[in-house]
Amino acid sequence: YMENNSENSSSWIIQRYIDNPLLLPCGRKFAIRAYVLVTPRMDILFSRIGYTKACSEAYNLTDIANKKRHLTNANIHGSAAVLEPLDVLGKFFHGGAVAFRTTVFQQMQEMGTIAILSALERLNPEEREECFEVFGVDFLIDSDYKAWLIEVNGSPAMSSKEPFLVSCLPLVVQRAVRCAEASTSSTCTLATLTAIGAYKGERRTRPCKYREVDAVFTFALT
C-alpha cells in the first residue's frame, strides 16, 4: 500500500502479478464477474449467476506489454471481447461443474464476503431505511485452482448487448430486489429467509457456510 500526501494524488495498492492463471482450452486468460447483494438488514448474499471475461489473444508471459493477452476488461477488446456464462467453466474444469462449485466457487463466496465485511460499517453512512446494493466482484483463478480477488465494483454494469447477459442480468436485478424486499418484511424470520442477522456493529470470525435463499442468491453464513 502506497499513500501520497500531495494534494493532487491518489493512494495505490501494489500487488504481485499473478503469472500462473488458469487458462481456457484456447490458451486465453479469463476472469470471473460475480455479484454480491447487501440487503437493508446488512445480510450478504452471493449470486450464482456470473460470467467469464476472456482475453481476445492467447496468454503469453513474454509479451507482458500486450494488454489483449493480460487484461480481461471488455473495453480493451472491443468487438473481440469474449463473455461466457459462468457455467461454461464446468465443461473443462478438472472434476466438472460439481468440483468448480465446491472448490473455486466456495473460495469466491468466502473472499467476496470478507471483502464486503471489511467495509460494511462504511456502507449506508446516512443510515437510510430499506436501501440495498449490488456489487460486482471480479476474481482470477490460478493454475492451482486458487481464487484471487481482483476488485469490488460499487457500480457494476447491468446492461449488455451480449445475448446471454440480456437475459441473466435482469434476473440478477429482479432477484436482488426480491431478496431486499423480503429482508425488510415484518414477517421475515430466520426460518423464512434463512437469515444470518445483521452484521452492523459486529464482526464475526467463524468459518463461512452457505445456504440457499432462492434460485439465484445464496446466503453467506458466518
Side-chain angles (χ1 to χ4, degrees):
Y1 173 78
M2 297 182 63
E3 183 173 354
N4 192 324
N5 293 322
S6 60
E7 294 183 358
N8 299 317
S9 63
S10 301
S11 299
W12 299 83
I13 294 177
I14 299 177
Q15 178 182 346
R16 178 182 67 84
Y17 185 67
I18 301 169
D19 58 6
N20 64 326
L22 183 65
L23 303 178
L24 296 173
C26 57
R28 291 179 297 193
K29 179 181 176 180
F30 68 94
I32 296 175
R33 162 58 60 86
Y35 297 98
V36 176
L37 166 67
V38 179
T39 74
R41 288 174 26 154
M42 293 297 182
D43 300 320
I44 300 173
L45 290 79
F46 202 95
S47 174
R48 292 185 180 85
I49 293 180
Y51 62 93
T52 63
K53 306 181 290 182
C55 292
S56 57
E57 296 185 15
Y59 180 74
N60 187 335
L61 196 57
T62 64
D63 189 15
I64 196 70
N66 188 342
K67 294 182 179 180
K68 293 185 177 181
R69 296 185 186 274
H70 297 275
L71 300 181
T72 60
N73 308 60
N75 61 324
I76 291 176
H77 304 279
S79 60
V82 181
L83 306 177
E84 296 282 355
L86 188 58
D87 291 342
V88 75
L89 295 180
K91 297 179 181 179
F92 73 90
F93 193 85
H94 181 66
V98 174
F100 172 76
R101 290 288 178 182
T102 57
T103 55
V104 171
F105 192 72
Q106 182 171 335
Q107 293 178 58
M108 291 165 52
Q109 287 179 306
E110 292 175 356
M111 285 188 290
T113 301
I114 291 170
I116 299 299
L117 280 175
S118 69
L120 202 63
E121 294 176 358
R122 301 179 64 180
L123 298 182
N124 192 20
E126 298 178 3
E127 298 187 355
R128 290 174 294 181
E129 296 183 359
E130 300 186 3
C131 66
F132 64 95
E133 188 160 2
V134 176
F135 295 91
V137 188
D138 291 346
F139 298 91
L140 177 70
I141 313 301
D142 69 20
S143 57
D144 296 320
Y145 300 106
K146 178 180 178 180
W148 296 82
L149 176 65
I150 299 176
E151 68 174 344
V152 178
N153 192 323
S155 183
M158 284 298 182
S159 63
S160 174
K161 295 181 180 180
E162 192 70 26
F164 80 91
L165 288 179
V166 168
S167 60
C168 77
L169 289 182
L171 182 60
V172 171
V173 174
Q174 292 167 10
R175 293 304 178 90
V177 173
R178 171 184 170 183
C179 291
E181 288 180 338
S183 76
T184 62
S185 170
S186 59
T187 59
C188 176
T189 67
L190 293 178
T192 58
L193 197 58
T194 325
I196 55 178
Y199 282 113
K200 183 178 294 185
E202 181 179 357
R203 288 295 177 87
R204 306 184 184 186
T205 58
R206 287 178 286 150
C208 294
K209 297 180 181 179
Y210 304 91
R211 292 182 184 174
E212 180 175 336
V213 172
D214 65 11
V216 173
F217 284 97
T218 60
F219 246 112
L221 300 183
T222 63

